[in-house]
Amino acid sequence: EAQVTQNPRYLITVTGKKLTVTCSQNMNHEYMSWYRQDPGLGLRQIYYSMNVEVTDKGDVPEGYKVSRKEKRNFPLILESPSPNQTSLYFCASGQGTYEQYFGPGTRLTVT
Amino acid sequence: QKEVEQDPGPLSVPEGAIVSLNCTYSNSAFQYFMWYRQYSRKGPELLMYTYSSGNKEDGRFTAQVDKSSKYISLFIRDSQPSDSATYLCAMSANTGTASKLTFGTGTRLQVTL
């Protein structure tokens, strides 16, 4: 089954404790991206990747890191999470921006 | 000012009604326009995408783009309770892999029996 998977689905952590949210796709897509979704602000792009080892900033990259060492994986790293990073996070993949397949989401709470 | 503006709703309509959902934008570089549907507690799913100006139809859904007015619309004919969801517009300057994607905040639609 073609899909984008994210783990964990739910995470509660404390300020400053490094965490990684994994994202994997099995559709051989070149384009992968991370978004955060907040009430009243909608979906905002954090980082995107055009291919292995090629990444670029979206609209809200501060406080996040990404890496693309393999085509299928695109982990999101929060080196020192803060409460303002509490949000619903989505990973997506596609052949380009015109058709994105989204994962199920990761709800992150930082206390 | 946000690059993409979308009325958050909620929009409540009776079953069978024609629904009109809209977005305005300020960035004239946008050329690719998408509509996504998001059910509660799920990730968004692509409904339609269009390039530049014009109309595109897919079953009960029609997408319209008016680049001169920087205005896009999604029409849903014969709306069904299963159409109840949040609808997100999205735009990019190009569809290649080297491009950002900008979303509207979403309009929540409720179709009642």
Side-chain angles (χ1 to χ4, degrees):
Chain A
E1 180 189 354
Q3 60 183 350
V4 177
T5 57
Q6 296 178 227
N7 282 293
R9 295 288 313 280
Y10 302 90
L11 179 60
I12 301 174
T13 190
V14 296
T15 299
K17 186 176 180 181
K18 180 179 178 180
L19 66 92
T20 299
V21 184
T22 64
C23 174
S24 183
Q25 51 97 1
N26 62 1
M27 295 168 278
N28 201 37
H29 287 153
E30 292 186 347
Y31 189 98
M32 295 188 75
S33 186
W34 276 102
Y35 302 86
R36 60 178 290 175
Q37 189 171 35
D38 303 287
L41 297 175
L43 269 170
R44 294 178 293 168
Q45 195 171 38
I46 302 170
Y47 271 96
Y48 61 98
S49 170
M50 293 74 78
N51 213 325
V52 175
E53 303 291 4
V54 183
T55 63
D56 206 349
K57 297 176 181 178
D59 290 320
V60 289
E62 295 78 20
Y64 304 94
K65 284 177 59 177
V66 293
S67 68
R68 187 96 180 268
K69 292 182 169 44
E70 303 168 280
K71 195 171 186 178
R72 62 182 289 127
N73 296 323
F74 191 44
L76 179 70
I77 303 158
L78 284 71
E79 296 267 3
S80 183
S82 62
N84 65 11
Q85 293 178 299
T86 292
S87 187
L88 179 59
Y89 291 87
F90 288 101
C91 179
S93 74
Q95 291 299 352
T97 58
Y98 67 94
E99 187 175 22
Q100 299 275 286
Y101 293 87
F102 282 79
T106 295
R107 186 166 293 280
L108 171 65
T109 302
V110 183
T111 61
Chain B
Q1 182 191 5
K2 292 180 181 177
E3 275 192 303
V4 179
E5 299 276 1
Q6 187 175 8
D7 188 329
L11 179 62
S12 183
V13 301
E15 183 179 10
I18 296 174
V19 176
S20 173
L21 302 165
N22 312 295
C23 288
T24 59
Y25 63 96
S26 58
N27 187 345
S28 57
F30 288 146
Q31 296 192 76
Y32 295 86
F33 304 91
M34 285 70 70
W35 285 96
Y36 283 82
R37 177 176 61 197
Q38 185 176 22
Y39 290 114
S40 181
R41 302 181 187 278
K42 299 286 188 183
E45 56 179 332
L46 180 70
L47 281 175
M48 301 179 71
Y49 74 90
T50 54
Y51 169 70
S52 194
S53 287
N55 293 0
K56 187 173 184 179
E57 187 174 321
D58 184 1
R60 296 185 296 111
F61 298 90
T62 300
Q64 283 186 354
V65 175
D66 181 348
K67 288 190 71 181
S68 62
S69 302
K70 296 190 177 67
Y71 187 88
I72 71 170
S73 300
L74 177 71
F75 297 95
I76 307 173
R77 291 184 298 281
D78 188 25
S79 56
Q80 303 294 311
S82 59
D83 295 328
S84 298
T86 297
Y87 290 80
L88 302 149
C89 62
M91 310 177 187
S92 68
N94 65 68
T95 190
T97 53
S99 180
K100 290 196 303 182
L101 187 60
T102 303
F103 280 83
T105 52
T107 298
R108 191 155 61 91
L109 172 66
Q110 180 73 37
V111 181
T112 58
L113 291 169

